[in-house]
Amino acid sequence: IISLYLLTISILFADMNLLAPNLSTIADEFGFDDDERDVKLGGLIALGFFFVGAPVSFVVGWLADSINRSPLYSATVFVG
């Protein structure tokens, strides 16, 4: 069970480290200059993840206290 949990967490968070090393390539693809790259890719995307992730974490936390956690964990992993 623990190894399955660790594998799931590894897969869910694997994409988080893909953006940072590729910021320059992504900025070149979209025609951004250095300032636009820093603001749009370095700041606004992270802010967007926060604005989506923070409310969702409160809802999932409340649901974890209210319903069975196994289906909630499965749904959370599926939505990703």
Side-chain angles (χ1 to χ4, degrees), residues 6-47:
L6 290 174
L7 177 67
T8 304
I9 294 298
S10 298
I11 291 171
L12 284 175
F13 290 115
D15 63 338
M16 291 184 140
N17 294 321
L18 292 177
L19 183 61
N22 296 305
L23 284 179
S24 297
T25 306
I26 295 168
D28 291 341
E29 180 71 27
F30 287 105
F32 295 161
D33 61 19
D34 289 343
D35 290 332
E36 285 179 317
R37 178 194 65 204
D38 293 342
V39 170
K40 292 181 180 176
L41 298 179
L44 294 179
I45 289 179
L47 191 63

Side-chain angles (χ1 to χ4, degrees), residues 62-76:
W62 177 77
L63 286 172
D65 293 335
S66 305
I67 64 173
N68 188 0
R69 291 183 182 162
S70 294
L72 179 61
Y73 180 73
S74 299
T76 303

